Amino acid sequence: MDAYKYIKEAIIHGKYEPGMRLGEEYLAKELKLSRTPIREAIKQLESEGLVTPLKRGVSVRHFTREDIQQIYDLRTLLEGYAASQAALHRTDEDIEKMKEANSRYEEAIERYKEADLNSIKEIVNFNQQFHEAIISACNNPHIYFHLSKVVVVPLVFRSFYWYDEFELKRSLEVHKTILSAIQNQDSERARVAMTEHIYQGRDQVLAHLEEIKKIHVLKEDTHD
Amino acid sequence: MDAYKYIKEAIIHGKYEPGMRLGEEYLAKELKLSRTPIREAIKQLESEGLVTPLKRGVSVRHFTREDIQQIYDLRTLLEGYAASQAALHRTDEDIEKMKEANSRYEEAIERYKEADLNSIKEIVNFNQQFHEAIISACNNPHIYFHLSKVVVVPLVFRSFYWYDEFELKRSLEVHKTILSAIQNQDSERARVAMTEHIYQGRDQVLAHLEEIKKIHVLKEDTHD
DNA sequence: CATTGACCTTTTGTATACAAAGCGTTAATT
DNA sequence: AATTAACGCTTTGTATACAAAAGGTCAATG
């Protein structure tokens, strides 16, 4: 399997946790490859900022609260712009793709309400699909290029798993707002709605981080 | 020497021209290294978009007029934001660095007027230094991370070499406007002035591209 | 007891060797 | 003469071997 993809997925899915050292030998054994392709994969991940160089080798990057704030600021900027451009350039097929992603998203939320915990993965997927449809509609590969590196970070926290039904439904409503703004070629509205949408996402992730911190503090307390 | 840096510089300085195939063996001989470190460098350049994959190997990426438009749009977005944040967060040292870069910039322009063609390199440098001072003042490493990859592209065209005295002086004036907006913590003004500054840069590059195109057409005409 | 230095081990960096996949050229057949 | 099949050459992909640097351990010394 492709070493780059494998390691990236492993980081996103939390198999390799933040701070964990990624030894070449170890990864080579894990992927049944020699160190050469492993090293190339690591170099790529390093230039994307997913792993951070140590004195020797690299470790999975740890993102602080401040990182999250700044990365989401970046994302509002880029994705807000993408939405505004999508409103100007969208084709009928683009709209179709967005509607499709949104319906699937809605269906997955319904299944989630029926206690189908597996549907969370689909929710994440269809959410991504909706956002990608917008980015692709704005017809600017460079925006896509940078956004794809920005978007990965919050995934590391898997905060979607903490969403409750209300939050998911609100998110769906905002999607619909964004979609209709894009359909009506109302670029400023699309930009603002998208920006707000992403800020809401940021709030969720930050709240999630607070929760985790509290749990850690509790654990620390029981240590002595 | 570090293979990544070397190849990147060579691309920026035009030693390796757009479209040129970068064979591993060739680069290895050029840098007196084995193929292994060369391959790693290429992987990095690829993930930054400076080289583009072929069926076999890579070639120096060719940027179209559309690419330039989109990349500059991205840059206005990011660097405009950086300027606005710099206005909010700047320290006195930040302001000092900007003033310093600007004075040097002005001096270099003076030397350029006196027909010192070598000063162009310094002009490019001090211009970059000013922009970097702003990005660093906004205290957001992620912005810096992405901007550093965006900024490289226009350098490939070396359009600074085509600037005349008037354009350089106008650029200097805008720098001063941006600087004073940041000093006065007028974030919106800083953003707008920076955005306009970069749009002007874009116009120069695009005009430069037109010139090149004309010359090419003339050359083609003389071929038969 | 702490600190430093020498040695040993582990891990990364580079080179080389070998495997596999593209590409071009040539020759054969229709 | 054109098309295709096969061969060989070039170039990339992977593995392994070797060099160098970083880290850790243990003993000696203040």
Side-chain angles (χ1 to χ4, degrees), chain B residues 32-37 55-56:
Chain B
K32 285 167 186 150
L33 281 170
S34 75
R35 279 175 47 221
T36 313
K55 331 89 234 324
R56 195 166 41 153

Side-chain angles (χ1 to χ4, degrees), chain B residues 34-51:
Chain B
S34 75
R35 279 175 47 221
T36 313
I38 298 290
R39 284 177 62 82
E40 285 168 12
I42 288 177
K43 272 276 148 62
Q44 278 184 262
L45 292 165
E46 200 179 326
S47 89
E48 291 181 23
L50 266 184
V51 302

Side-chain angles (χ1 to χ4, degrees), chain A residues 16 19 83 85 101 127 140 157 163 169 173 186 189 192 194 201:
Chain A
Y16 301 149
Q85 290 300 104
N127 176 63
N140 184 332
F157 293 101
Y163 276 33
K169 285 209 143 183
E173 286 311 307
D186 184 347
R189 179 71 194 276
V192 170
M194 178 60 91

Side-chain angles (χ1 to χ4, degrees), chain A residues 48-181:
Chain A
E48 290 181 24
L50 266 184
V51 301
T52 191
L54 259 35
K55 332 90 239 320
R56 193 164 45 152
V58 299
S59 68
V60 178
R61 175 155 180 186
H62 174 78
F63 292 98
T64 66
R65 192 182 173 79
E66 208 186 353
D67 283 321
I68 299 296
Q69 300 252 24
Q70 297 179 339
I71 286 168
Y72 266 91
D73 282 347
L74 239 176
R75 195 177 159 192
T76 57
L77 215 62
L78 294 176
E79 212 160 336
Y81 174 76
S84 75
Q85 290 300 104
L88 298 178
H89 303 317
R90 95 283 186 296
T91 65
D92 290 349
E93 296 97 288
D94 290 327
I95 298 288
E96 262 331 294
K97 271 194 274 177
M98 294 174 206
K99 281 186 176 165
E100 174 79 8
N102 251 359
S103 318
R104 297 290 174 85
Y105 187 58
E106 188 158 17
E107 288 160 25
I109 290 175
E110 285 306 312
R111 282 198 294 282
Y112 182 65
K113 274 165 64 179
E114 294 154 12
D116 174 5
L117 289 182
N118 223 15
S119 63
I120 281 280
K121 280 181 202 130
E122 295 170 34
I123 290 176
V124 174
N125 264 333
F126 293 128
N127 176 63
Q128 269 189 320
Q129 209 169 296
F130 177 72
H131 284 262
E132 283 202 6
I134 291 172
I135 299 164
S136 120
C138 95
N139 238 351
N140 184 332
H142 297 94
I143 291 277
Y144 186 83
F145 179 85
H146 288 274
L147 258 176
S148 64
K149 281 161 192 177
V150 169
V151 159
V152 168
V153 175
L155 292 179
V156 173
F157 293 101
R158 289 171 296 289
S159 36
F160 248 101
Y161 289 79
W162 293 61
Y163 276 33
D164 62 28
E165 192 197 321
F166 173 74
E167 288 160 346
L168 289 170
K169 285 209 143 183
R170 185 177 59 182
S171 163
L172 175 64
E173 286 311 307
V174 183
H175 276 201
K176 285 177 181 168
T177 305
I178 295 168
L179 173 48
S180 83

Side-chain angles (χ1 to χ4, degrees), chain B residues 123-169:
Chain B
I123 290 176
V124 174
N125 265 332
F126 292 128
N127 177 64
Q128 268 189 319
Q129 209 169 298
F130 178 71
H131 284 262
E132 283 202 5
I134 291 172
I135 299 164
S136 120
C138 96
N139 239 350
N140 184 331
H142 297 94
I143 291 275
Y144 186 82
F145 180 85
H146 287 274
L147 258 177
S148 65
K149 280 160 192 177
V150 169
V151 160
V152 169
V153 175
L155 292 180
V156 174
F157 293 102
R158 289 171 295 290
S159 36
F160 249 104
Y161 289 80
W162 292 60
Y163 276 34
D164 61 26
E165 193 197 320
F166 174 74
E167 288 160 347
L168 289 170
K169 285 210 142 183

